[in-house]
């Protein structure tokens, strides 16, 4: 049966991950850009991926279960907060649809994409897959996702309360292939408690010059460094380029990338830049993010670059007494750089054998107010305007910060966000390498910019 095939293939994924770990590889460095909602991450990004159980433990549990007990499988990358909320929402769904079994499949951000790629290769994707903006076009172009237009037109997936701009976030090649399950925007999440102690004010629309001056002062006064572009460098570099009215994913030139690499070099030369060697193993794991992990001063950062919805998981992981706040990424023109995007999507795999049940779950997730009163924006601002109006009354103080931030960005944003091309993941891998080389003094900013532009143009 399909379920049996899926978990056999997951076992292959686990074995592969074990081999990679034994070889010393960092699974998080060769994956699509950060989630978003990832604290640094990815919504991306990218952002938030500690897992409650290992894939091997999940497989052992599933092998012992009745093979026919599940009608659909839902897969997502998560963190402890998200995983707990998702399980609770699935319970609500099953109260309303008792005949539909839902198998839960969650792993961390890096492991998620390794697992999904293996399952896609054998045409055994889970029925519902959580997609990132950096992977959506690739999976559509490979024929792995179902065109949702018929389900929307029939009303099985009711999007009548979803604003048109939000609906369009899931459109590829003229058709809707994915439903946004939250909106977010790039967010510089920082230690507001530390800033208050140091008497530093972080402006909402922060410029590059203001960011550099604050980073210098924090390092001079507290000995704490700045993690600017280690979590997912594609997000801050894209933000900078957008500030010049340009799109790095179309006709990239070396000139547009020099300021980004110059900032990396400046941070390291002046001492306030976070050492990439200290970041190894921290990518994509909320509890290990240098903003909240604590430890020696050299391993702390006063800031992390991720997505607005990532503040929920980060605040949950923060030490007692640490209060977090948000501002934009630094830019020469923050209003030009700003944008709102889908933090993540739900899509139905084209190989799904129970499309109706999958559509019912996505419809429930989109429109059920009780479900969103459980999640309270952890995956981003909900798609449905009706849900937003209800949920915003119940969100925590941190959730209110996130909702207000996205609302402000929507008012400021001037240039729509376009989907990243299928080659974006590979391009970002090269960018990570170049960031490390510039930080280590192996390449000059100009050399890195030239290499990056040539590499990107070759793939695009």
């Amino acid at each position: 049966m399909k379920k049996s095939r899926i978990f056999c293939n997951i076992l292959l994924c686990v074995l592969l991950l074990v081999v990679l770990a034994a070889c010393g590889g960092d699974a998080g460095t060769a994956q699509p850009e950060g989630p978003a909602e990832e604290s640094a991450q990815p919504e991306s990004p990218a952002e938030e991926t500690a897992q409650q159980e290992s894939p091997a433990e999940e497989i052992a549990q599933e092998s012992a279960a009745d093979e026919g007990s599940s009608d659909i499988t839902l897969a997502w990358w998560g963190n402890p907060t998200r995983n707990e909320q998702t399980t609770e929402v699935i319970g609500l769904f099953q109260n309303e649809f008792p005949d539909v079994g839902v198998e839960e499949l969650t792993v961390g951000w890096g492991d998620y994409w390794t697992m999904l790629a293996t399952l896609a290769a054998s045409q055994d994707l889970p029925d519902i897959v959580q997609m990132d903006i950096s992977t959506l076009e690739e999976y559509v172009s490979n024929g792995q996702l179902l065109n949702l237009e018929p389900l929307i037109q029939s009303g099985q997936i009711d999007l009548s309360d979803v604003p048109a701009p939000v609906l369009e976030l899931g459109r590829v090649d003229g058709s809707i292939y994915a439903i946004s399950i939250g909106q977010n925007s790039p967010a510089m999440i920082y230690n507001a408690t530390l800033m208050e102690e140091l008497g530093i004010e972080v402006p909402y629309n922060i410029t590059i010059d203001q960011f550099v001056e604050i980073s210098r002062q924090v390092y001079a006064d507290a000995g704490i460094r700045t993690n600017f572009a280690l979590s997912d460098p594609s997000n801050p570099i894209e933000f900078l380029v957008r500030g010049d009215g340009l799109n790095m994913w179309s006709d990239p030139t070396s000139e547009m990338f020099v300021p980004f690499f110059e900032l990396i070099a400046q941070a390291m030369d002046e001492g306030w830049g976070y050492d990439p060697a200290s970041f190894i193993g921290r990518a994509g794991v909320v509890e290990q993010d240098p903003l909240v992990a604590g430890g020696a001063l050299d391993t702390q950062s006063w800031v992390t670059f991720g997505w607005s919805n990532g503040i929920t998981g980060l605040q949950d992981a923060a030490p007692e007494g640490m209060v977090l706040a948000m501002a934009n990424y630094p830019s020469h023109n923050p209003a030009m750089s700003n944008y709102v995007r889908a933090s993540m999507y739900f899509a139905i795999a084209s190989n799904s054998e129970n499309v109706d049940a999958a559509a019912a779950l996505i419809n429930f997730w989109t429109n059920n107010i009780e479900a969103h009163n459980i999640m309270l924006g952890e995956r981003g601002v909900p798609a449905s305007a009706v849900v937003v109006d209800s949920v915003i009354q119940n969100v925590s103080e941190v959730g209110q910060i996130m909702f207000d931030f996205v609302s402000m960005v929507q008012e400021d944003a001037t240039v729509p966000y376009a989907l990243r091309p299928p080659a974006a993941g590979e391009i970002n891998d090269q960018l990570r390498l170049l960031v490390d080389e510039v930080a280590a003094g192996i390449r000059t900013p100009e050399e890195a910019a030239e290499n990056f532009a040539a590499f990107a143009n070759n793939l695009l």
Side-chain angles (χ1 to χ4, degrees):
M1 295 179 67
K2 179 174 182 289
K3 176 187 170 186
S4 178
R5 294 196 308 269
I6 286 178
F7 284 98
C8 285
N9 282 307
I10 294 172
L11 180 57
L12 293 177
C13 293
V14 175
L15 293 175
L16 174 61
L17 292 172
V18 170
V19 172
L20 288 174
C23 294
D26 181 2
T29 61
Q31 305 303 328
E33 42 276 10
E37 66 315 296
E38 330 25 33
S39 65
Q41 357 292 307
E43 151 18 332
S44 201
E47 162 123 228
E48 63 173 22
T49 58
Q51 61 190 61
Q52 292 176 310
E53 294 180 334
S54 71
E57 289 172 335
E58 289 189 342
I59 292 167
Q61 293 171 5
E62 294 306 328
S63 298
D66 178 7
E67 191 172 286
S69 65
S70 179
D71 293 313
I72 58 174
T73 302
L74 169 65
W76 73 93
W77 69 85
N79 57 53
T81 299
R82 177 174 302 160
N83 297 344
E84 182 178 345
Q85 291 175 351
T86 303
T87 296
E88 193 170 349
V89 171
I90 289 173
L92 281 181
F93 171 77
Q94 291 184 303
N95 287 339
E96 189 169 323
F97 296 87
D99 294 333
V100 178
V102 181
E103 198 67 46
E104 302 177 29
L105 181 57
T106 178
V107 292
W109 166 261
D111 291 351
Y112 181 83
W113 297 107
T114 302
M115 176 189 72
L116 223 59
T118 301
L119 296 176
S122 60
Q123 298 185 357
D124 276 330
L125 281 173
D127 298 272
I128 302 176
V129 286
Q130 188 170 282
M131 278 279 114
D132 183 67
I133 199 166
S134 63
T135 58
L136 179 58
E137 189 169 335
E138 177 183 359
Y139 275 77
V140 170
S141 65
N142 289 337
Q144 292 158 339
L145 301 182
L146 190 71
N147 185 339
L148 302 181
E149 294 280 0
L151 297 170
I152 296 169
Q153 292 170 8
S154 70
Q156 286 180 268
I157 299 179
D158 179 9
L159 302 180
S160 58
D161 293 326
V162 176
V166 176
L167 178 60
E168 291 300 308
L169 294 172
R171 189 178 298 278
V172 181
D173 295 335
S175 297
I176 302 296
Y177 282 88
I179 308 300
S180 172
I181 55 174
Q183 285 68 248
N184 64 7
S185 57
M188 189 180 79
I189 303 174
Y190 63 91
N191 184 341
T193 303
L194 176 65
M195 296 298 102
E196 184 176 0
E197 291 173 356
L198 298 178
I200 298 174
E201 181 178 350
V202 180
Y204 162 62
N205 273 330
I206 188 170
T207 66
I208 292 293
D209 290 342
Q210 290 170 326
F211 173 72
V212 169
E213 185 55 38
I214 290 173
S215 297
R216 286 171 176 161
Q217 186 176 348
V218 172
Y219 181 58
D221 294 349
I224 295 176
R225 290 182 164 84
T226 301
N227 170 22
F228 169 58
L230 299 181
S231 300
D232 186 350
S234 69
N235 296 324
I237 195 173
E238 181 181 44
F239 201 84
L240 281 177
V241 169
R242 282 175 58 90
D244 295 326
L246 303 172
N247 181 354
M248 66 175 279
W249 305 108
S250 62
D251 194 25
T253 65
S254 60
E255 291 78 12
M256 71 172 64
F257 301 130
V258 170
F260 169 80
F261 288 110
E262 285 181 336
L263 189 55
I264 299 294
Q266 180 182 3
M268 301 309 295
D269 289 345
E270 295 181 358
W272 51 266
Y274 198 91
D275 183 2
S278 298
F279 193 72
I280 295 174
R282 293 174 176 262
V285 183
V286 173
E287 294 84 353
Q288 294 182 21
D289 191 289
L291 173 63
V292 298
L297 290 179
D298 280 352
T299 64
Q300 294 181 39
S301 172
W302 67 274
V303 66
T304 191
F305 285 78
W307 303 96
S308 53
N309 63 302
I311 193 171
T312 303
L314 281 165
Q315 187 64 74
D316 287 345
E320 185 176 355
M322 179 188 290
V323 177
L324 304 180
M326 288 192 292
N328 298 107
Y329 283 16
S331 169
H332 299 296
N333 187 342
M336 180 71 75
S337 295
N338 276 338
Y339 62 87
V340 174
R341 59 156 226 173
S343 59
M344 57 200 75
Y345 305 88
F346 274 161
I348 299 177
S350 56
N351 60 250
S352 174
E353 297 175 357
N354 199 340
V355 171
D356 289 342
L361 178 52
I362 291 178
N363 181 69
F364 179 88
W365 194 285
T366 303
N367 296 296
N368 189 277
I369 291 175
E370 188 178 358
H372 283 278
N373 276 323
I374 292 172
M375 295 180 284
L376 296 175
E378 193 278 333
R379 277 179 164 92
V381 176
S384 165
V386 172
V387 170
V388 171
D389 289 342
S390 175
V391 169
I392 199 169
Q393 304 173 40
N394 301 318
V395 296
S396 64
E397 184 176 350
V398 172
Q400 189 67 56
I401 291 173
M402 185 267 292
F403 274 74
D404 291 345
F405 183 83
V406 172
S407 178
M408 287 190 295
V409 171
Q410 284 176 323
E411 294 177 3
D412 287 347
T414 56
V415 181
Y417 184 84
L419 286 175
R420 292 181 179 181
E426 190 172 351
I427 292 171
N428 195 29
D429 290 343
Q430 180 68 9
L431 178 59
R432 292 178 189 275
L433 175 64
L434 292 170
V435 166
D436 287 351
E437 291 181 346
V438 171
I442 297 173
R443 290 184 190 264
T444 67
E446 292 76 16
E447 290 170 342
E450 184 175 351
N451 177 287
F452 185 58
F455 186 89
N457 273 306
N458 184 53
L459 290 181
L460 294 173

